[in-house]
Amino acid sequence: MARTDGQNLTYRIVQALGVAIVSGAYSVKNPFPIEADLCKQYGASRSVLREAVKMLTAKGLLSARPRQGTWVQPEENWNLLDPDVLRWLMERKPTYALLREFAQVRLAVEPRAAALAAEVATSDMKAAIRTAIAQMAEADRDEEDPLPSDIAFHIAVLRASGNRFYSQLSGVTESALRISIRMQNRYKGVRRASVADHKKISDAILAGDAATAEAAMRYLVQEALDLINKADSAAGSDLRQKVRSGHN
Amino acid sequence: MARTDGQNLTYRIVQALGVAIVSGAYSVKNPFPIEADLCKQYGASRSVLREAVKMLTAKGLLSARPRQGTWVQPEENWNLLDPDVLRWLMERKPTYALLREFAQVRLAVEPRAAALAAEVATSDMKAAIRTAIAQMAEADRDEEDPLPSDIAFHIAVLRASGNRFYSQLSGVTESALRISIRMQNRYKGVRRASVADHKKISDAILAGDAATAEAAMRYLVQEALDLINKADSAAGSDLRQKVRSGHN
DNA sequence: AACAAGGAATGATATGATAATTCGCCTCCG
DNA sequence: CGGAGGCGAATTATCATATCATTCCTTGTT
């Protein structure tokens, strides 16, 4: 989907400004520029620039008033659950704190989603879950990257829950899961066990066993959360480099 | 906060179009108009109109291309967790399905938030929780509307969790909670018991008892979910009139 | 010192023109 | 007859410029 994928100038500016904002590039010392300056900086007309700013305003990142200029909103007003915002944050500032908080969201939602999926999943949805598991097993056998199928599994479960908010999280989740799971997979021992753990969830869902599915998913996500906490206490809080140096 | 609160023309149009879109006003039979027509319809200039459309695009409601025009995105692409989008949906199309799905989100998140709050809440946050409970009890005694303090309580707990995503939900939640809780409160018997139930959660959080807080919150929200399911099976699926006829 | 008036900075709105994209039609060639 | 290529039109994207509205800041008056 990727609504802000840089086709046209406006979206490229949204992207650039969005990343700059969540990276903390603007502050009291370096306030957000006025329209005229931004136009010069990006070589764009006022229309384009204003439209970009409006999109960021719609995501809660900016606010503007005549004579007062445009300014970055306090972080608590950002729409963290907007796919773009979360992606910008995860790609540029994947702090342990953010990963942990996101893992807590997963811990809250994914077990419930698994339970619901066990109860209401359509055959299409079940097929998607089964496929993801099969590909995970295959990747594990062939020593390939299990990340894509791992993500596909979690997204399939969220969708299969039949809850639109949960499904929504799958979109939000994509980029966050990528970083989150990659981190988890860097521990080979954990990875091997992980395939079996995922299969257990899948089996329970396919069998319509909500309680088992919920418990198994809770175990898996709790494990991810524990790993983040462990890594956090073992290291600093900015893991940009560590994550990027992971394979692929 | 209410970013689209109708101060200027642009935001008024965002509001009007947003409501129209989520209400299903546009379809194959009645496709989304082209810029020129919308300008005429709202008596606005192209700049303003394009900026409004861009904001709705940022929220996942619209998409546009040269020569193809602007069209409404399929519902699964809407940013349901955007405060504006959810508010528009809840105010115009509060179907039982949507309320149920939202209650499931609450069921997933709020117990965890209560548990976290018990562990990490600052004294400020604890004070907010205590205040909300006190006002709830007072409203109950004086036969006033317990809705505002009820909402304040749930929001205070979400914030006290220290998890930014949970806090985020409190903003998203405000309008949804309003409809959700109002519905719950229409049953007087439930309401009376409800104050005690809330107090139990509050006490556990203030005492730092995470497990009890979590269980008590789960019970409360599960009750809300059950109520929605009960009402759903007893009635049709559009409850606009019923909710509006509730007191206040 | 308090207050009022006016100027200036900045976003909000309006208008008109041009560019880019893509769909549908038409023509011309095979 | 069919298909490829081109041409025209529709629609958004971008640019440029002008004016309005809001509000901060200065300045002057009492």
Side-chain angles (χ1 to χ4, degrees):
Chain A
M1 191 188 57
R3 281 180 300 287
T4 61
D5 54 358
Q7 306 298 347
N8 28 258
L9 182 51
T10 306
Y11 290 165
R12 277 204 304 275
I13 295 177
V14 168
Q15 181 80 20
L17 282 179
V19 167
I21 291 169
V22 305
S23 301
Y26 303 107
S27 60
V28 182
K29 280 196 49 147
N30 179 33
F32 198 81
I34 65 173
E35 282 183 8
D37 290 347
L38 281 174
C39 288
K40 267 183 277 183
Q41 182 178 342
Y42 288 100
S45 68
R46 278 192 73 196
S47 333
V48 166
L49 211 119
R50 283 182 55 81
E51 285 168 17
V53 165
K54 275 281 153 59
M55 293 189 76
L56 294 169
T57 301
K59 293 177 185 298
L61 299 186
L62 293 176
S63 197
R65 274 193 179 182
R67 165 68 203 182
Q68 299 189 345
T70 306
W71 63 92
V72 175
Q73 284 274 303
E75 196 174 324
E76 64 260 28
N77 286 354
W78 298 355
N79 290 173
L80 285 192
L81 295 163
D82 178 289
D84 289 324
V85 174
L86 189 57
R87 181 165 41 83
W88 296 331
L89 267 174
M90 284 289 180
E91 287 175 359
R92 303 296 293 220
K93 288 185 59 171
T95 61
Y96 281 112
L98 191 64
L99 280 178
R100 176 169 44 239
E101 288 167 48
F102 183 73
Q104 281 165 348
V105 172
R106 291 183 57 198
L107 187 57
V109 168
E110 293 201 46
R112 296 290 311 144
L116 283 174
E119 288 166 359
V120 307
T122 64
S123 55
D124 276 3
M125 294 296 165
K126 287 181 178 174
I129 293 175
R130 206 172 343 211
T131 302
I133 288 292
Q135 291 180 339
M136 244 188 115
E138 188 179 351
D140 185 64
R141 241 192 340 269
D142 305 352
E143 305 262 333
E144 288 168 4
D145 188 1
L147 182 60
S149 47
D150 197 332
I151 293 178
F153 171 75
H154 288 277
I155 288 181
V157 172
L158 287 169
R159 288 202 200 291
S161 71
N163 182 302
R164 281 170 281 180
F165 295 97
Y166 293 179
S167 299
Q168 192 84 160
L169 270 185
S170 75
V172 173
T173 289
E174 182 118 22
S175 59
L177 267 187
R178 178 160 295 118
I179 292 188
S180 206
I181 296 179
R182 175 172 302 160
M183 191 176 157
Q184 198 171 358
N185 284 347
R186 291 180 62 243
Y187 294 72
K188 300 240 171 180
V190 174
R191 192 210 295 182
R192 287 236 152 237
S194 189
V195 176
D197 291 341
H198 281 74
K199 181 138 194 346
K200 189 171 172 190
I201 302 169
S202 166
D203 288 346
I205 292 175
L206 296 177
D209 181 350
T212 302
E214 181 168 2
M217 180 66 95
R218 177 166 294 120
Y219 174 80
L220 184 72
V221 180
Q222 180 69 55
E223 198 174 43
L225 178 54
D226 292 343
L227 186 60
I228 290 171
N229 282 328
K230 206 173 91 185
D232 186 11
S233 52
S237 94
D238 186 344
L239 39 78
R240 228 168 307 178
Q241 294 190 343
K242 294 186 65 170
V243 166
R244 292 239 166 103
S245 68
H247 74 92
N248 190 357
Chain B
M1 192 190 56
R3 281 181 300 286
T4 61
D5 54 359
Q7 304 300 348
N8 24 261
L9 183 50
T10 306
Y11 290 166
R12 278 205 303 274
I13 295 178
V14 167
Q15 181 79 19
L17 282 178
V19 167
I21 291 169
V22 305
S23 301
Y26 303 107
S27 60
V28 182
K29 281 196 48 150
N30 179 30
F32 198 81
I34 64 173
E35 282 181 7
D37 289 347
L38 281 175
C39 288
K40 267 183 278 183
Q41 182 177 340
Y42 287 101
S45 67
R46 276 193 73 200
S47 336
V48 166
L49 209 118
R50 283 183 54 81
E51 285 168 17
V53 165
K54 275 282 152 60
M55 292 189 76
L56 294 169
T57 302
K59 293 176 184 301
L61 298 185
L62 292 176
S63 198
R65 274 194 178 181
R67 163 71 202 180
Q68 298 189 348
T70 306
W71 64 92
V72 175
Q73 285 275 302
E75 196 173 325
E76 65 259 27
N77 286 354
W78 298 354
N79 290 175
L80 285 193
L81 295 163
D82 179 289
D84 289 323
V85 174
L86 188 58
R87 179 165 42 85
W88 296 332
L89 267 174
M90 284 289 179
E91 285 174 359
R92 304 296 295 218
K93 289 184 61 173
T95 60
Y96 282 111
L98 191 64
L99 280 179
R100 176 168 43 239
E101 289 167 47
F102 183 73
Q104 283 164 349
V105 172
R106 292 184 57 199
L107 188 57
V109 169
E110 294 202 46
R112 295 290 311 144
L116 283 175
E119 289 165 0
V120 306
T122 64
S123 56
D124 277 3
M125 294 295 168
K126 286 181 178 174
I129 292 175
R130 207 173 340 206
T131 302
I133 288 292
Q135 291 180 340
M136 242 188 119
E138 187 179 352
D140 186 63
R141 244 193 336 270
D142 304 352
E143 304 262 333
E144 288 169 4
D145 188 0
L147 182 59
S149 47
D150 197 333
I151 292 177
F153 171 76
H154 288 279
I155 287 181
V157 172
L158 287 169
R159 288 202 200 290
S161 72
N163 183 302
R164 281 170 280 181
F165 296 98
Y166 293 179
S167 298
Q168 192 84 159
L169 270 185
S170 75
V172 173
T173 288
E174 180 117 24
S175 59
L177 268 186
R178 177 160 294 117
I179 292 187
S180 207
I181 296 179
R182 176 172 299 162
M183 189 176 160
Q184 197 172 358
N185 285 346
R186 289 179 64 242
Y187 294 72
K188 299 242 171 178
V190 174
R191 194 211 295 184
R192 287 236 150 238
S194 190
V195 176
D197 290 342
H198 281 75
K199 180 132 193 353
K200 189 171 172 188
I201 301 169
S202 166
D203 288 345
I205 291 175
L206 296 178
D209 182 350
T212 303
E214 179 167 3
M217 180 67 95
R218 177 167 293 120
Y219 174 81
L220 184 73
V221 180
Q222 180 70 55
E223 198 174 44
L225 178 54
D226 292 344
L227 186 60
I228 290 171
N229 282 327
K230 207 174 92 185
D232 186 12
S233 52
S237 94
D238 186 342
L239 38 80
R240 227 167 308 179
Q241 294 191 343
K242 294 186 65 171
V243 166
R244 293 242 168 103
S245 68
H247 74 93
N248 188 3

PDB file of all heavy atoms in Angstrom, chain B residues 197-222:
ATOM      1  N   ASP B 197     -16.942  -1.880  41.226  1.00  0.00           N
ATOM      2  CA  ASP B 197     -15.980  -2.567  40.358  1.00  0.00           C
ATOM      3  C   ASP B 197     -14.811  -1.658  39.999  1.00  0.00           C
ATOM      4  O   ASP B 197     -13.657  -2.072  40.006  1.00  0.00           O
ATOM      5  CB  ASP B 197     -16.675  -3.024  39.067  1.00  0.00           C
ATOM      6  CG  ASP B 197     -17.652  -4.159  39.335  1.00  0.00           C
ATOM      7  OD1 ASP B 197     -17.528  -4.794  40.400  1.00  0.00           O
ATOM      8  OD2 ASP B 197     -18.538  -4.396  38.495  1.00  0.00           O
ATOM      9  N   HIS B 198     -15.139  -0.424  39.691  1.00  0.00           N
ATOM     10  CA  HIS B 198     -14.075   0.517  39.358  1.00  0.00           C
ATOM     11  C   HIS B 198     -13.166   0.752  40.565  1.00  0.00           C
ATOM     12  O   HIS B 198     -11.957   0.823  40.438  1.00  0.00           O
ATOM     13  CB  HIS B 198     -14.671   1.851  38.881  1.00  0.00           C
ATOM     14  CG  HIS B 198     -15.149   1.825  37.462  1.00  0.00           C
ATOM     15  ND1 HIS B 198     -16.295   1.199  37.069  1.00  0.00           N
ATOM     16  CD2 HIS B 198     -14.614   2.348  36.327  1.00  0.00           C
ATOM     17  CE1 HIS B 198     -16.466   1.341  35.767  1.00  0.00           C
ATOM     18  NE2 HIS B 198     -15.453   2.041  35.288  1.00  0.00           N
ATOM     19  N   LYS B 199     -13.789   0.871  41.709  1.00  0.00           N
ATOM     20  CA  LYS B 199     -12.989   1.144  42.909  1.00  0.00           C
ATOM     21  C   LYS B 199     -12.008   0.008  43.184  1.00  0.00           C
ATOM     22  O   LYS B 199     -10.877   0.221  43.599  1.00  0.00           O
ATOM     23  CB  LYS B 199     -13.909   1.343  44.116  1.00  0.00           C
ATOM     24  CG  LYS B 199     -13.170   1.636  45.407  1.00  0.00           C
ATOM     25  CD  LYS B 199     -13.757   2.808  46.139  1.00  0.00           C
ATOM     26  CE  LYS B 199     -12.876   3.342  47.270  1.00  0.00           C
ATOM     27  NZ  LYS B 199     -11.698   2.581  47.589  1.00  0.00           N
ATOM     28  N   LYS B 200     -12.480  -1.183  42.919  1.00  0.00           N
ATOM     29  CA  LYS B 200     -11.623  -2.343  43.144  1.00  0.00           C
ATOM     30  C   LYS B 200     -10.359  -2.251  42.274  1.00  0.00           C
ATOM     31  O   LYS B 200      -9.246  -2.498  42.744  1.00  0.00           O
ATOM     32  CB  LYS B 200     -12.404  -3.613  42.804  1.00  0.00           C
ATOM     33  CG  LYS B 200     -11.707  -4.892  43.208  1.00  0.00           C
ATOM     34  CD  LYS B 200     -12.660  -6.087  43.026  1.00  0.00           C
ATOM     35  CE  LYS B 200     -11.936  -7.408  43.230  1.00  0.00           C
ATOM     36  NZ  LYS B 200     -12.793  -8.552  42.881  1.00  0.00           N
ATOM     37  N   ILE B 201     -10.557  -1.883  41.045  1.00  0.00           N
ATOM     38  CA  ILE B 201      -9.403  -1.724  40.143  1.00  0.00           C
ATOM     39  C   ILE B 201      -8.480  -0.645  40.675  1.00  0.00           C
ATOM     40  O   ILE B 201      -7.260  -0.822  40.784  1.00  0.00           O
ATOM     41  CB  ILE B 201      -9.869  -1.334  38.727  1.00  0.00           C
ATOM     42  CG1 ILE B 201     -10.806  -2.389  38.150  1.00  0.00           C
ATOM     43  CG2 ILE B 201      -8.663  -1.125  37.815  1.00  0.00           C
ATOM     44  CD1 ILE B 201     -11.501  -1.951  36.882  1.00  0.00           C
ATOM     45  N   SER B 202      -9.077   0.482  41.004  1.00  0.00           N
ATOM     46  CA  SER B 202      -8.302   1.612  41.495  1.00  0.00           C
ATOM     47  C   SER B 202      -7.486   1.234  42.718  1.00  0.00           C
ATOM     48  O   SER B 202      -6.284   1.509  42.800  1.00  0.00           O
ATOM     49  CB  SER B 202      -9.250   2.767  41.814  1.00  0.00           C
ATOM     50  OG  SER B 202      -8.599   3.737  42.577  1.00  0.00           O
ATOM     51  N   ASP B 203      -8.134   0.570  43.664  1.00  0.00           N
ATOM     52  CA  ASP B 203      -7.427   0.176  44.884  1.00  0.00           C
ATOM     53  C   ASP B 203      -6.230  -0.704  44.557  1.00  0.00           C
ATOM     54  O   ASP B 203      -5.144  -0.512  45.113  1.00  0.00           O
ATOM     55  CB  ASP B 203      -8.388  -0.580  45.822  1.00  0.00           C
ATOM     56  CG  ASP B 203      -9.408   0.368  46.446  1.00  0.00           C
ATOM     57  OD1 ASP B 203      -9.184   1.595  46.375  1.00  0.00           O
ATOM     58  OD2 ASP B 203     -10.426  -0.114  46.984  1.00  0.00           O
ATOM     59  N   ALA B 204      -6.443  -1.650  43.670  1.00  0.00           N
ATOM     60  CA  ALA B 204      -5.356  -2.567  43.324  1.00  0.00           C
ATOM     61  C   ALA B 204      -4.193  -1.815  42.690  1.00  0.00           C
ATOM     62  O   ALA B 204      -3.026  -2.053  43.004  1.00  0.00           O
ATOM     63  CB  ALA B 204      -5.869  -3.651  42.378  1.00  0.00           C
ATOM     64  N   ILE B 205      -4.519  -0.883  41.802  1.00  0.00           N
ATOM     65  CA  ILE B 205      -3.448  -0.114  41.153  1.00  0.00           C
ATOM     66  C   ILE B 205      -2.694   0.704  42.192  1.00  0.00           C
ATOM     67  O   ILE B 205      -1.462   0.710  42.233  1.00  0.00           O
ATOM     68  CB  ILE B 205      -4.022   0.805  40.062  1.00  0.00           C
ATOM     69  CG1 ILE B 205      -4.547  -0.026  38.888  1.00  0.00           C
ATOM     70  CG2 ILE B 205      -2.953   1.792  39.582  1.00  0.00           C
ATOM     71  CD1 ILE B 205      -5.235   0.785  37.810  1.00  0.00           C
ATOM     72  N   LEU B 206      -3.436   1.386  43.043  1.00  0.00           N
ATOM     73  CA  LEU B 206      -2.793   2.243  44.036  1.00  0.00           C
ATOM     74  C   LEU B 206      -1.953   1.419  45.008  1.00  0.00           C
ATOM     75  O   LEU B 206      -0.946   1.889  45.509  1.00  0.00           O
ATOM     76  CB  LEU B 206      -3.866   3.039  44.791  1.00  0.00           C
ATOM     77  CG  LEU B 206      -4.658   4.029  43.913  1.00  0.00           C
ATOM     78  CD1 LEU B 206      -5.728   4.735  44.724  1.00  0.00           C
ATOM     79  CD2 LEU B 206      -3.725   5.039  43.269  1.00  0.00           C
ATOM     80  N   ALA B 207      -2.382   0.168  45.220  1.00  0.00           N
ATOM     81  CA  ALA B 207      -1.637  -0.695  46.135  1.00  0.00           C
ATOM     82  C   ALA B 207      -0.477  -1.396  45.433  1.00  0.00           C
ATOM     83  O   ALA B 207       0.289  -2.116  46.058  1.00  0.00           O
ATOM     84  CB  ALA B 207      -2.579  -1.725  46.747  1.00  0.00           C
ATOM     85  N   GLY B 208      -0.378  -1.189  44.118  1.00  0.00           N
ATOM     86  CA  GLY B 208       0.700  -1.834  43.383  1.00  0.00           C
ATOM     87  C   GLY B 208       0.456  -3.320  43.142  1.00  0.00           C
ATOM     88  O   GLY B 208       1.376  -4.074  42.835  1.00  0.00           O
ATOM     89  N   ASP B 209      -0.816  -3.731  43.224  1.00  0.00           N
ATOM     90  CA  ASP B 209      -1.156  -5.137  43.029  1.00  0.00           C
ATOM     91  C   ASP B 209      -1.561  -5.371  41.570  1.00  0.00           C
ATOM     92  O   ASP B 209      -2.730  -5.275  41.205  1.00  0.00           O
ATOM     93  CB  ASP B 209      -2.305  -5.502  43.975  1.00  0.00           C
ATOM     94  CG  ASP B 209      -2.695  -6.967  43.872  1.00  0.00           C
ATOM     95  OD1 ASP B 209      -2.217  -7.659  42.940  1.00  0.00           O
ATOM     96  OD2 ASP B 209      -3.477  -7.419  44.727  1.00  0.00           O
ATOM     97  N   ALA B 210      -0.572  -5.712  40.770  1.00  0.00           N
ATOM     98  CA  ALA B 210      -0.802  -5.805  39.329  1.00  0.00           C
ATOM     99  C   ALA B 210      -1.796  -6.903  38.959  1.00  0.00           C
ATOM    100  O   ALA B 210      -2.700  -6.698  38.146  1.00  0.00           O
ATOM    101  CB  ALA B 210       0.518  -6.025  38.602  1.00  0.00           C
ATOM    102  N   ALA B 211      -1.637  -8.056  39.571  1.00  0.00           N
ATOM    103  CA  ALA B 211      -2.479  -9.187  39.190  1.00  0.00           C
ATOM    104  C   ALA B 211      -3.957  -8.899  39.470  1.00  0.00           C
ATOM    105  O   ALA B 211      -4.827  -9.151  38.627  1.00  0.00           O
ATOM    106  CB  ALA B 211      -2.034 -10.445  39.936  1.00  0.00           C
ATOM    107  N   THR B 212      -4.228  -8.353  40.634  1.00  0.00           N
ATOM    108  CA  THR B 212      -5.609  -8.042  40.978  1.00  0.00           C
ATOM    109  C   THR B 212      -6.165  -6.944  40.067  1.00  0.00           C
ATOM    110  O   THR B 212      -7.308  -7.024  39.596  1.00  0.00           O
ATOM    111  CB  THR B 212      -5.701  -7.586  42.448  1.00  0.00           C
ATOM    112  OG1 THR B 212      -5.178  -8.607  43.282  1.00  0.00           O
ATOM    113  CG2 THR B 212      -7.139  -7.293  42.821  1.00  0.00           C
ATOM    114  N   ALA B 213      -5.356  -5.927  39.827  1.00  0.00           N
ATOM    115  CA  ALA B 213      -5.802  -4.849  38.949  1.00  0.00           C
ATOM    116  C   ALA B 213      -6.162  -5.398  37.579  1.00  0.00           C
ATOM    117  O   ALA B 213      -7.196  -5.056  36.999  1.00  0.00           O
ATOM    118  CB  ALA B 213      -4.708  -3.786  38.835  1.00  0.00           C
ATOM    119  N   GLU B 214      -5.305  -6.261  37.075  1.00  0.00           N
ATOM    120  CA  GLU B 214      -5.535  -6.817  35.750  1.00  0.00           C
ATOM    121  C   GLU B 214      -6.822  -7.632  35.718  1.00  0.00           C
ATOM    122  O   GLU B 214      -7.660  -7.459  34.827  1.00  0.00           O
ATOM    123  CB  GLU B 214      -4.336  -7.694  35.337  1.00  0.00           C
ATOM    124  CG  GLU B 214      -4.507  -8.327  33.972  1.00  0.00           C
ATOM    125  CD  GLU B 214      -3.207  -8.928  33.432  1.00  0.00           C
ATOM    126  OE1 GLU B 214      -2.180  -8.904  34.161  1.00  0.00           O
ATOM    127  OE2 GLU B 214      -3.211  -9.393  32.280  1.00  0.00           O
ATOM    128  N   ALA B 215      -6.983  -8.485  36.710  1.00  0.00           N
ATOM    129  CA  ALA B 215      -8.171  -9.336  36.737  1.00  0.00           C
ATOM    130  C   ALA B 215      -9.442  -8.508  36.881  1.00  0.00           C
ATOM    131  O   ALA B 215     -10.445  -8.755  36.198  1.00  0.00           O
ATOM    132  CB  ALA B 215      -8.052 -10.332  37.884  1.00  0.00           C
ATOM    133  N   ALA B 216      -9.406  -7.513  37.743  1.00  0.00           N
ATOM    134  CA  ALA B 216     -10.589  -6.691  37.971  1.00  0.00           C
ATOM    135  C   ALA B 216     -10.956  -5.899  36.724  1.00  0.00           C
ATOM    136  O   ALA B 216     -12.126  -5.752  36.369  1.00  0.00           O
ATOM    137  CB  ALA B 216     -10.349  -5.753  39.153  1.00  0.00           C
ATOM    138  N   MET B 217      -9.941  -5.392  36.052  1.00  0.00           N
ATOM    139  CA  MET B 217     -10.217  -4.655  34.830  1.00  0.00           C
ATOM    140  C   MET B 217     -10.758  -5.588  33.756  1.00  0.00           C
ATOM    141  O   MET B 217     -11.681  -5.238  33.023  1.00  0.00           O
ATOM    142  CB  MET B 217      -8.940  -3.962  34.334  1.00  0.00           C
ATOM    143  CG  MET B 217      -9.130  -3.163  33.063  1.00  0.00           C
ATOM    144  SD  MET B 217     -10.211  -1.712  33.263  1.00  0.00           S
ATOM    145  CE  MET B 217      -8.996  -0.425  33.554  1.00  0.00           C
ATOM    146  N   ARG B 218     -10.198  -6.769  33.701  1.00  0.00           N
ATOM    147  CA  ARG B 218     -10.672  -7.733  32.700  1.00  0.00           C
ATOM    148  C   ARG B 218     -12.136  -8.041  32.937  1.00  0.00           C
ATOM    149  O   ARG B 218     -12.942  -8.094  32.004  1.00  0.00           O
ATOM    150  CB  ARG B 218      -9.829  -9.012  32.751  1.00  0.00           C
ATOM    151  CG  ARG B 218     -10.333 -10.078  31.775  1.00  0.00           C
ATOM    152  CD  ARG B 218      -9.337 -11.207  31.588  1.00  0.00           C
ATOM    153  NE  ARG B 218      -8.139 -10.730  30.923  1.00  0.00           N
ATOM    154  CZ  ARG B 218      -6.915 -10.789  31.435  1.00  0.00           C
ATOM    155  NH1 ARG B 218      -6.731 -11.313  32.627  1.00  0.00           N
ATOM    156  NH2 ARG B 218      -5.884 -10.329  30.761  1.00  0.00           N
ATOM    157  N   TYR B 219     -12.485  -8.228  34.190  1.00  0.00           N
ATOM    158  CA  TYR B 219     -13.881  -8.513  34.522  1.00  0.00           C
ATOM    159  C   TYR B 219     -14.790  -7.382  34.043  1.00  0.00           C
ATOM    160  O   TYR B 219     -15.814  -7.611  33.406  1.00  0.00           O
ATOM    161  CB  TYR B 219     -14.013  -8.707  36.034  1.00  0.00           C
ATOM    162  CG  TYR B 219     -15.429  -8.856  36.503  1.00  0.00           C
ATOM    163  CD1 TYR B 219     -16.088 -10.077  36.408  1.00  0.00           C
ATOM    164  CD2 TYR B 219     -16.120  -7.761  37.024  1.00  0.00           C
ATOM    165  CE1 TYR B 219     -17.400 -10.220  36.819  1.00  0.00           C
ATOM    166  CE2 TYR B 219     -17.438  -7.893  37.443  1.00  0.00           C
ATOM    167  CZ  TYR B 219     -18.068  -9.124  37.333  1.00  0.00           C
ATOM    168  OH  TYR B 219     -19.367  -9.250  37.742  1.00  0.00           O
ATOM    169  N   LEU B 220     -14.374  -6.161  34.349  1.00  0.00           N
ATOM    170  CA  LEU B 220     -15.198  -4.999  34.009  1.00  0.00           C
ATOM    171  C   LEU B 220     -15.404  -4.880  32.501  1.00  0.00           C
ATOM    172  O   LEU B 220     -16.526  -4.676  32.015  1.00  0.00           O
ATOM    173  CB  LEU B 220     -14.525  -3.726  34.533  1.00  0.00           C
ATOM    174  CG  LEU B 220     -15.317  -2.436  34.346  1.00  0.00           C
ATOM    175  CD1 LEU B 220     -16.479  -2.399  35.306  1.00  0.00           C
ATOM    176  CD2 LEU B 220     -14.427  -1.214  34.552  1.00  0.00           C
ATOM    177  N   VAL B 221     -14.337  -5.002  31.748  1.00  0.00           N
ATOM    178  CA  VAL B 221     -14.443  -4.821  30.302  1.00  0.00           C
ATOM    179  C   VAL B 221     -15.169  -5.999  29.662  1.00  0.00           C
ATOM    180  O   VAL B 221     -15.940  -5.833  28.717  1.00  0.00           O
ATOM    181  CB  VAL B 221     -13.049  -4.618  29.662  1.00  0.00           C
ATOM    182  CG1 VAL B 221     -13.173  -4.427  28.174  1.00  0.00           C
ATOM    183  CG2 VAL B 221     -12.365  -3.406  30.277  1.00  0.00           C
ATOM    184  N   GLN B 222     -14.927  -7.174  30.221  1.00  0.00           N
ATOM    185  CA  GLN B 222     -15.646  -8.347  29.707  1.00  0.00           C
ATOM    186  C   GLN B 222     -17.151  -8.144  29.881  1.00  0.00           C
ATOM    187  O   GLN B 222     -17.942  -8.499  29.004  1.00  0.00           O
ATOM    188  CB  GLN B 222     -15.201  -9.609  30.457  1.00  0.00           C
ATOM    189  CG  GLN B 222     -15.905 -10.875  29.974  1.00  0.00           C
ATOM    190  CD  GLN B 222     -15.476 -11.286  28.572  1.00  0.00           C
ATOM    191  OE1 GLN B 222     -14.298 -11.460  28.309  1.00  0.00           O
ATOM    192  NE2 GLN B 222     -16.435 -11.410  27.652  1.00  0.00           N
TER     193      GLN B 222
END
